[in-house]
Amino acid sequence: MERHQENIANEAPVRKLGEVLLGLSMITSERLKYAQALEHQTGKRLCDILVEHRLVTAEDMAAAISVQLNMPLIDLKRHMIQPDALKLIPQETARKYNLIPLYIIGDSLIVVMSDPEDLLAIEEAKSQSKMWVQVALGIPSDINRAIDANYKPSAEIEKRILDKSLPLLSLPQLGFSADALKKYQAMLKSPYGMILVGGPAGSGKTTTLYASINELNRKERNIMTIEDPVEYCFADVKQTQVNPKAGLTFSNGLRALLRHDPDVVLVGEIRDKETAAMAVQACLTGHLVLSSIHANDAIGALFRLIDLGIEPYLIASTLVGVVAQRMVRRICTRCRVPYQPSAMEKAVYLDEIEHLPIIFYKGEGCNLCTDTSYGGRTGIFELLVMSENIGKMLTGNASYDDIRAQAIKEGMATLKRDGMLKVKEGITTIDEVVQAALTPGATISFFEGEVANGQRWDVIL
Ligand SMILES: [Zn+2]
């Protein structure tokens, strides 16, 4: 035994394996000699020859190698492959080297390999997963089965995502005004801090987040995501889908991503205290975090963060800005006609815009829009750029109304104002904007219903 250890570095591994097999009485010396002769003739590895010629079973061989290398032998039939571990190694690599990632433990990825001495494979697993790799031994046929069973459903899920994927729009296509677009693009240039997209469900937040990722320089900035679900696949961004059943949540997913030290992290949504705290922590340690938050408007997003347990001074020091948004329908371009709005509509419009436009438009209904008078949608946006003043007000427990007034003073166009500017441009109607921008606490309220003049809604000023 002493001699064996002494010579471990010089001794050819094949001889060691033979000794181990003999020591474990897994083979007779005659059969071993026969296999070694074949080894010299063919140049194949001894372990492969022994298994191919059925001189040793694959299970015995794995057990012998495990003894030889003093390495754990993993029975893959008894282990579940962790989905987030699987995502770190592409199927191609797994097949090429007959290996499969098993678990993430701390900073390490446990990789089960049929040939744990394949240093090239280990290097590739390290560079692809960007983690420390700890090698364990597996039976080759088990690894193959595990690759088939685990990567196949993954590929199907990805295909499903692609089939259903959102169209990837550029920021200018979303409907930002020229001023808001310029400000938002400047926000995206921040090296660190938090940018939030606020709005209710269905307001197009994810589309804006994806357009933002698309705007970022992905060659210079390493971007990672944790999403629920992944709705668009970027070729050059590492995206992860939360999987609460497997214990992968926004907060622990974000913690795991941060170990890779990305420059930018997209967190699909901040909806609990843990995720909010983790996102703020990420900003404080120099990351740019993009996320969405359920809030009616930009100022509402600040108060939502406070509700989620974030101290106002931390919001003041980490938040770069908030985009609040809604979707409105566009007037059908084929049946668009000028019309005279009612006095009520004009009043709502004038509440936001100082000058009457020359012409108001609406759709008459046609074949193209199946008589809906609308075709396609666009966003309306409210952009809050975090300023020193607003930070101070927030830290000093100023009210929603006071902070909102200050933001407007600093140039924030409200959702309603941005919407009415799109009315002015003949893109959408007053009706659409009022319905979309309706929020509790807004300066107007309305009730829906048929009234005598045929308007679908009425306004109470
Ligand atoms: Zn039409």
Side-chain angles (χ1 to χ4, degrees), residues 332 335 365-366 369:
C332 172
C335 61
C366 69
C369 60

Side-chain angles (χ1 to χ4, degrees), residues 34-229:
Y34 167 73
Q36 283 168 336
L38 281 177
E39 184 192 356
H40 287 299
Q41 281 173 23
T42 61
K44 282 185 180 176
R45 295 191 312 163
L46 181 66
C47 57
D48 294 337
I49 292 167
L50 287 167
V51 174
E52 273 169 31
H53 288 260
R54 297 173 188 241
L55 298 168
V56 177
T57 64
E59 288 76 13
D60 276 358
M61 181 55 73
I65 295 172
S66 162
V67 170
Q68 178 203 8
L69 301 176
N70 191 25
M71 186 175 279
L73 175 62
I74 302 289
D75 182 357
L76 284 170
K77 293 181 212 78
R78 292 162 168 268
H79 290 263
M80 287 276 285
I81 309 289
Q82 210 179 44
D84 41 342
L86 192 76
K87 284 179 192 156
L88 296 177
I89 304 281
Q91 179 173 187
E92 201 181 42
T93 306
R95 291 208 184 276
K96 184 172 164 194
Y97 297 109
N98 195 225
L99 57 79
I100 189 150
L102 182 61
Y103 298 126
I104 294 169
I105 298 176
D107 289 341
S108 298
L109 180 65
I110 311 297
V111 178
V112 180
M113 304 177 69
S114 61
D115 181 5
E117 291 183 303
D118 187 342
L119 298 179
L120 199 69
I122 296 168
E123 273 314 303
E124 199 156 323
K126 266 189 203 166
S127 77
Q128 281 172 341
S129 66
K130 300 192 178 74
M131 294 190 90
W132 294 107
V133 166
Q134 280 187 30
V135 177
L137 185 68
I139 297 166
S141 57
D142 283 359
I143 296 175
N144 267 328
R145 262 195 298 276
I147 292 172
D148 288 343
N150 288 280
Y151 280 103
K152 201 167 160 240
S154 291
E156 278 163 10
I157 289 167
E158 266 173 39
K159 190 175 173 295
R160 223 164 51 223
I161 291 164
L162 281 174
D163 288 346
K164 274 171 54 185
S165 86
L166 290 171
L168 180 63
L169 300 178
S170 65
L171 283 179
Q173 285 174 297
L174 298 180
F176 277 109
S177 68
D179 178 57
L181 180 64
K182 216 171 90 188
K183 285 179 182 165
Y184 188 60
Q185 282 172 326
M187 274 162 53
L188 287 174
K189 288 202 167 74
S190 309
Y192 56 86
M194 195 185 309
I195 297 173
L196 291 177
V197 181
S203 57
K205 290 174 290 195
T206 307
T207 304
T208 301
L209 287 172
Y210 282 149
S212 307
I213 294 289
N214 199 35
E215 174 89 6
L216 292 168
N217 188 332
R218 304 202 292 275
K219 283 201 179 74
E220 281 176 14
R221 296 173 97 174
N222 175 19
I223 304 169
M224 294 174 92
T225 77
I226 174 99
E227 304 170 65
D228 180 24

